[in-house]
Amino acid sequence: QVHLVESGGGSVQAGDSLRLSCAASGYTPSTGCIGWFRQRAGQEREGIAATGRGGEVTAYRVSVKGRFTISQDNTGNTVYLQMNSLTPDDTAMYYCAAAASPPCGAWASYNFWGQGTQVTVSS
């Protein structure tokens, strides 16, 4: 069973940066994918970044590309989401999730989820 725990959320000002962490257990980094998702108030959850195959594969939603960077530690069991130039529109609950295999940008394929970490950006 895959177990995921997010951390690193908080309240920041517009223009600030945050780094979220996702600690994964029961997951195979060499073949699977870890994705970051967010759910803004009143909206559906959306995939925003993903990595897989030991970091060889990455995928980003167009709206965050260039501001957000996904990376992982050398074990592949901790995945980070570096978020820069945050705006109030980035306020959301952020989740990490795991999928068994690529394509990592196939957001509907993720079937193991963490509990989420809240990010609030004020203007």
Side-chain angles (χ1 to χ4, degrees):
Q1 185 77 359
V2 178
H3 186 58
L4 303 164
V5 179
E6 304 95 335
S7 61
S11 297
V12 297
Q13 298 287 318
D16 285 351
S17 298
L18 272 177
R19 189 177 79 159
L20 306 182
S21 298
C22 173
S25 59
Y27 161 73
T28 305
S30 59
T31 59
C33 300
I34 295 286
W36 282 100
F37 294 71
R38 68 183 179 189
Q39 187 165 20
R40 292 178 278 195
Q43 298 188 28
E44 294 186 356
R45 189 160 51 190
E46 62 180 7
I48 55 175
T51 186
R53 286 187 179 169
E56 293 182 359
V57 174
T58 58
Y60 292 95
R61 179 171 290 274
V62 171
S63 61
V64 305
K65 198 168 185 179
R67 293 192 303 126
F68 291 9
T69 303
I70 193 167
S71 63
Q72 59 184 36
D73 70 358
N74 58 5
T75 70
N77 286 309
T78 300
V79 175
Y80 305 102
L81 184 68
Q82 178 67 41
M83 305 187 295
N84 298 329
S85 303
L86 287 163
T87 74
D89 195 48
D90 295 313
T91 294
M93 182 70 80
Y94 284 74
Y95 300 88
C96 67
S101 61
C104 298
W107 309 118
S109 66
Y110 288 79
N111 51 5
F112 294 98
W113 295 85
Q115 293 299 305
T117 186
Q118 177 69 37
V119 172
T120 302
V121 185
S122 56
S123 57

